[in-house]
Amino acid sequence: MSRPDRGVTGPEPVARTDVDAINRVFSDAFTERYRKDGLAGVRVPQLNTAIWHFAIDDAGAGAMLWRDNRGDVVAFNIVHRAGSEGWMGPLAVRTDHQGHRLGRRIVAAGIAWLEAQGVATIGLETMPRTIDNIGFYSRLGFQPGHLTVTLQRDQPRARPVASWRLGALAKVEREVAIAACRDLAVVLGGGVDFSRELRLTLDLGLGDATLLRDPDGAIAAFALWHTAPLAQGRSRDELRILKLVAPDSAVALQLIGGVEREAAAQALPHFSLRCQSAYHEIYGALTSDGFRVRWTDLRLTLAGKGEPLRSGVVLSNWEI
């Protein structure tokens, strides 16, 4: 029988000075996960420090870590709230402390924090082939939903789409636009709010957002994207959409074309987005247009805290 992990303290807030330590725990834990799944030759790289800063700043008080009796980081859970939507990731336990119920403890802390925030949705994503993880989260009350499929196009094309970049606006106009994006997401997405991610992306220089306007000049749709490399030491070679809000599939596809134009303008060799498989029309249109499947994640939500029925399209990553 597994014993509770003694001598572990936490949670405590994650600071930027903890990035190197949690990066090592992350890389080692996910490399071990791949080994257990039969992929012994895979080494998961440490993440770009700037991406960790984005994740930690986005999570705020939801970024938690635990330490062993020597004061070293032994586990962490980066818990995010975007309005009515809450999710956990990344989270990991140091390999020498796995199997001692510490994973249960850090997930329970994440759930408690999100419940205290009053969110309507609590979720996370994991690899669909990893039955141990699916079983673990299921025992904690999570239920499997649809897939999040990472779609990628190599050599993005310059699309003839009339769009605007949030970062190109003057400061006052930018704040007005962010407020409009927030209001649009609240209405179409059942209360989600991505304004913090929009500001952080620009403040940290990770990417930008593409906007579509209706005939009256109001913002009709937006997509938040990053071009900063995910892995430490890698060069910039991809534009990836993190969040997308649109009134319907047709406008969402038009917006994706506008973002692809940005990738082509920056001469980036890859363009990707994470598409929830519930959006059949968007998924089918993109795969028919030449996007290839690069990765899949299984989306899980806590019982009673599932994703709402939405009046529009919301593509929302639950990974950094």
Side-chain angles (χ1 to χ4, degrees):
M1 178 181 293
S2 296
R3 59 172 178 79
D5 217 319
R6 303 185 188 281
V8 172
T9 59
E12 65 180 71
V14 178
R16 287 192 173 188
T17 52
D18 297 310
V19 165
D20 287 347
I22 65 174
N23 219 351
R24 289 191 295 270
V25 172
F26 167 85
S27 176
D28 291 346
F30 279 85
T31 297
E32 177 64 10
R33 178 69 266 166
Y34 278 109
R35 187 193 67 78
K36 289 180 178 177
D37 285 346
L39 300 172
V42 174
R43 176 70 191 175
V44 175
Q46 295 189 12
L47 295 180
N48 182 352
T49 299
I51 298 297
W52 280 116
H53 290 171
F54 174 78
I56 293 166
D57 291 353
D58 179 49
M64 314 174 194
L65 61 77
W66 287 256
R67 298 185 187 275
D68 62 18
N69 54 15
R70 296 187 302 275
D72 296 330
V73 174
V74 70
F76 65 88
N77 190 357
I78 312 298
V79 187
H80 307 260
R81 179 193 175 188
S84 61
E85 180 176 274
W87 54 277
M88 290 180 262
L91 65 157
V93 175
R94 207 171 67 198
T95 55
D96 61 327
H97 279 255
Q98 292 177 8
H100 298 159
R101 305 190 69 178
L102 183 55
R104 178 182 293 267
R105 182 171 161 186
I106 71 170
V107 173
I111 293 171
W113 187 82
L114 288 171
E115 289 180 333
Q117 303 302 304
V119 299
T121 298
I122 296 178
L124 54 83
E125 290 179 340
T126 191
M127 292 181 290
R129 65 173 289 155
T130 307
I131 57 175
D132 289 346
N133 278 6
I134 297 170
F136 167 74
Y137 291 122
S138 296
R139 289 190 294 274
L140 295 179
F142 285 86
Q143 299 172 340
H146 45 264
L147 291 176
T148 293
V149 184
T150 300
L151 298 173
Q152 178 175 290
R153 190 200 297 284
D154 300 324
Q155 303 307 318
R157 300 179 289 195
R159 302 290 190 132
V161 177
S163 60
W164 291 261
R165 281 179 49 233
L166 179 65
L169 301 177
K171 184 175 181 180
V172 173
E173 292 177 301
R174 184 185 301 175
E175 283 303 313
V176 171
I178 290 174
C181 289
R182 178 198 63 217
D183 294 344
L184 184 70
V186 166
V187 171
L188 297 179
V192 296
D193 178 2
F194 302 135
S195 53
R196 183 175 59 254
E197 290 91 334
L198 289 166
R199 289 191 180 92
L200 281 172
T201 292
L202 295 176
D203 290 347
L204 295 173
L206 303 177
D208 208 325
T210 296
L211 314 174
L212 293 186
R213 298 185 184 273
D214 65 20
D216 296 325
I219 293 175
F222 70 92
L224 170 66
W225 45 266
H226 284 181
T227 56
L230 279 172
Q232 194 174 79
R234 300 278 177 85
S235 60
R236 198 175 68 109
D237 67 351
E238 177 187 54
L239 186 153
R240 57 192 179 277
I241 293 176
L242 276 68
K243 312 285 185 183
L244 182 149
V245 176
D248 54 45
S249 296
V251 176
L253 290 167
Q254 181 185 4
L255 177 58
I256 291 167
V259 182
E260 184 174 1
R261 186 184 67 172
E262 294 286 351
Q266 296 187 40
L268 294 169
H270 308 297
F271 168 51
S272 68
L273 70 154
R274 294 167 58 79
C275 180
Q276 280 75 62
S277 59
Y279 293 106
H280 298 156
E281 188 174 358
I282 297 172
Y283 181 81
L286 293 175
T287 52
S288 295
D289 193 38
F291 280 78
R292 63 185 177 88
V293 175
R294 180 182 173 189
W295 192 255
T296 57
D297 288 287
L298 178 64
R299 212 159 169 98
L300 298 102
T301 54
L302 191 67
K305 295 287 185 178
E307 294 184 82
L309 292 175
R310 289 169 167 147
S311 59
V313 173
V314 177
L315 303 183
S316 173
N317 69 307
W318 286 352
E319 292 282 350
I320 60 171

mmCIF file of all heavy atoms in Angstrom, residues 215-232:
data_model
loop_
_atom_site.group_PDB
_atom_site.id
_atom_site.type_symbol
_atom_site.label_atom_id
_atom_site.label_comp_id
_atom_site.label_asym_id
_atom_site.label_seq_id
_atom_site.Cartn_x
_atom_site.Cartn_y
_atom_site.Cartn_z
ATOM 1 N N PRO A 215 -18.819 44.876 -39.913
ATOM 2 C CA PRO A 215 -18.933 46.068 -40.771
ATOM 3 C C PRO A 215 -19.015 47.386 -40.003
ATOM 4 O O PRO A 215 -18.677 48.443 -40.548
ATOM 5 C CB PRO A 215 -20.227 45.799 -41.550
ATOM 6 C CG PRO A 215 -20.325 44.313 -41.600
ATOM 7 C CD PRO A 215 -19.799 43.840 -40.288
ATOM 8 N N ASP A 216 -19.429 47.351 -38.757
ATOM 9 C CA ASP A 216 -19.508 48.567 -37.943
ATOM 10 C C ASP A 216 -18.212 48.871 -37.204
ATOM 11 O O ASP A 216 -18.133 49.855 -36.459
ATOM 12 C CB ASP A 216 -20.648 48.448 -36.933
ATOM 13 C CG ASP A 216 -22.010 48.344 -37.603
ATOM 14 O OD1 ASP A 216 -22.193 48.984 -38.665
ATOM 15 O OD2 ASP A 216 -22.869 47.606 -37.082
ATOM 16 N N GLY A 217 -17.204 48.009 -37.374
ATOM 17 C CA GLY A 217 -15.916 48.231 -36.721
ATOM 18 C C GLY A 217 -15.767 47.569 -35.376
ATOM 19 O O GLY A 217 -14.694 47.648 -34.757
ATOM 20 N N ALA A 218 -16.810 46.909 -34.874
ATOM 21 C CA ALA A 218 -16.712 46.213 -33.587
ATOM 22 C C ALA A 218 -15.955 44.897 -33.754
ATOM 23 O O ALA A 218 -15.981 44.285 -34.834
ATOM 24 C CB ALA A 218 -18.103 45.950 -33.030
ATOM 25 N N ILE A 219 -15.274 44.459 -32.691
ATOM 26 C CA ILE A 219 -14.540 43.193 -32.756
ATOM 27 C C ILE A 219 -15.527 42.035 -32.812
ATOM 28 O O ILE A 219 -16.376 41.879 -31.938
ATOM 29 C CB ILE A 219 -13.588 43.056 -31.556
ATOM 30 C CG1 ILE A 219 -12.469 44.104 -31.669
ATOM 31 C CG2 ILE A 219 -12.985 41.657 -31.483
ATOM 32 C CD1 ILE A 219 -11.541 44.146 -30.482
ATOM 33 N N ALA A 220 -15.400 41.232 -33.866
ATOM 34 C CA ALA A 220 -16.308 40.105 -34.082
ATOM 35 C C ALA A 220 -15.694 38.781 -33.657
ATOM 36 O O ALA A 220 -16.422 37.819 -33.401
ATOM 37 C CB ALA A 220 -16.708 40.032 -35.553
ATOM 38 N N ALA A 221 -14.359 38.709 -33.614
ATOM 39 C CA ALA A 221 -13.666 37.468 -33.264
ATOM 40 C C ALA A 221 -12.212 37.805 -32.967
ATOM 41 O O ALA A 221 -11.685 38.816 -33.442
ATOM 42 C CB ALA A 221 -13.754 36.453 -34.398
ATOM 43 N N PHE A 222 -11.560 36.939 -32.175
ATOM 44 C CA PHE A 222 -10.138 37.151 -31.910
ATOM 45 C C PHE A 222 -9.450 35.822 -31.653
ATOM 46 O O PHE A 222 -10.089 34.846 -31.236
ATOM 47 C CB PHE A 222 -9.916 38.104 -30.727
ATOM 48 C CG PHE A 222 -10.280 37.544 -29.376
ATOM 49 C CD1 PHE A 222 -9.337 36.888 -28.586
ATOM 50 C CD2 PHE A 222 -11.573 37.682 -28.885
ATOM 51 C CE1 PHE A 222 -9.679 36.376 -27.341
ATOM 52 C CE2 PHE A 222 -11.922 37.178 -27.631
ATOM 53 C CZ PHE A 222 -10.977 36.520 -26.858
ATOM 54 N N ALA A 223 -8.150 35.813 -31.904
ATOM 55 C CA ALA A 223 -7.319 34.634 -31.639
ATOM 56 C C ALA A 223 -6.006 35.092 -31.020
ATOM 57 O O ALA A 223 -5.329 35.973 -31.561
ATOM 58 C CB ALA A 223 -7.049 33.848 -32.915
ATOM 59 N N LEU A 224 -5.659 34.507 -29.893
ATOM 60 C CA LEU A 224 -4.398 34.767 -29.201
ATOM 61 C C LEU A 224 -3.374 33.745 -29.670
ATOM 62 O O LEU A 224 -3.670 32.549 -29.707
ATOM 63 C CB LEU A 224 -4.609 34.654 -27.697
ATOM 64 C CG LEU A 224 -3.361 34.668 -26.804
ATOM 65 C CD1 LEU A 224 -2.672 36.017 -26.865
ATOM 66 C CD2 LEU A 224 -3.732 34.325 -25.365
ATOM 67 N N TRP A 225 -2.157 34.215 -30.031
ATOM 68 C CA TRP A 225 -1.148 33.280 -30.527
ATOM 69 C C TRP A 225 0.240 33.641 -30.009
ATOM 70 O O TRP A 225 0.514 34.774 -29.652
ATOM 71 C CB TRP A 225 -1.138 33.212 -32.051
ATOM 72 C CG TRP A 225 -1.204 34.538 -32.788
ATOM 73 C CD1 TRP A 225 -2.321 35.167 -33.262
ATOM 74 C CD2 TRP A 225 -0.097 35.390 -33.146
ATOM 75 N NE1 TRP A 225 -1.989 36.350 -33.890
ATOM 76 C CE2 TRP A 225 -0.635 36.506 -33.842
ATOM 77 C CE3 TRP A 225 1.272 35.317 -32.960
ATOM 78 C CZ2 TRP A 225 0.162 37.543 -34.339
ATOM 79 C CZ3 TRP A 225 2.077 36.348 -33.455
ATOM 80 C CH2 TRP A 225 1.509 37.443 -34.137
ATOM 81 N N HIS A 226 1.076 32.598 -29.961
ATOM 82 C CA HIS A 226 2.467 32.739 -29.539
ATOM 83 C C HIS A 226 3.401 32.287 -30.658
ATOM 84 O O HIS A 226 3.073 31.374 -31.415
ATOM 85 C CB HIS A 226 2.751 31.887 -28.294
ATOM 86 C CG HIS A 226 2.211 32.451 -27.028
ATOM 87 N ND1 HIS A 226 2.381 31.839 -25.799
ATOM 88 C CD2 HIS A 226 1.495 33.579 -26.767
ATOM 89 C CE1 HIS A 226 1.805 32.559 -24.861
ATOM 90 N NE2 HIS A 226 1.250 33.608 -25.425
ATOM 91 N N THR A 227 4.558 32.943 -30.697
ATOM 92 C CA THR A 227 5.635 32.482 -31.575
ATOM 93 C C THR A 227 6.901 32.143 -30.787
ATOM 94 O O THR A 227 7.854 31.608 -31.352
ATOM 95 C CB THR A 227 5.989 33.542 -32.634
ATOM 96 O OG1 THR A 227 6.339 34.777 -31.979
ATOM 97 C CG2 THR A 227 4.821 33.780 -33.577
ATOM 98 N N ALA A 228 6.922 32.438 -29.490
ATOM 99 C CA ALA A 228 8.078 32.075 -28.663
ATOM 100 C C ALA A 228 8.214 30.562 -28.631
ATOM 101 O O ALA A 228 7.211 29.849 -28.484
ATOM 102 C CB ALA A 228 7.897 32.611 -27.250
ATOM 103 N N PRO A 229 9.423 30.030 -28.768
ATOM 104 C CA PRO A 229 9.589 28.566 -28.741
ATOM 105 C C PRO A 229 9.202 27.988 -27.398
ATOM 106 O O PRO A 229 9.440 28.593 -26.350
ATOM 107 C CB PRO A 229 11.087 28.371 -29.029
ATOM 108 C CG PRO A 229 11.727 29.674 -28.686
ATOM 109 C CD PRO A 229 10.711 30.730 -28.947
ATOM 110 N N LEU A 230 8.600 26.791 -27.424
ATOM 111 C CA LEU A 230 8.203 26.125 -26.184
ATOM 112 C C LEU A 230 9.402 25.567 -25.428
ATOM 113 O O LEU A 230 9.495 25.673 -24.215
ATOM 114 C CB LEU A 230 7.215 24.995 -26.487
ATOM 115 C CG LEU A 230 5.761 25.390 -26.701
ATOM 116 C CD1 LEU A 230 4.953 24.188 -27.179
ATOM 117 C CD2 LEU A 230 5.162 25.955 -25.417
ATOM 118 N N ALA A 231 10.317 24.944 -26.157
ATOM 119 C CA ALA A 231 11.438 24.262 -25.514
ATOM 120 C C ALA A 231 12.623 25.194 -25.334
ATOM 121 O O ALA A 231 12.894 26.066 -26.168
ATOM 122 C CB ALA A 231 11.852 23.039 -26.325
ATOM 123 N N GLN A 232 13.320 24.992 -24.240
ATOM 124 C CA GLN A 232 14.503 25.781 -23.938
ATOM 125 C C GLN A 232 15.579 25.553 -25.003
ATOM 126 O O GLN A 232 15.860 24.416 -25.393
ATOM 127 C CB GLN A 232 15.023 25.376 -22.560
ATOM 128 C CG GLN A 232 16.038 26.302 -21.944
ATOM 129 C CD GLN A 232 16.366 25.873 -20.523
ATOM 130 O OE1 GLN A 232 17.134 24.943 -20.321
ATOM 131 N NE2 GLN A 232 15.763 26.524 -19.548
#
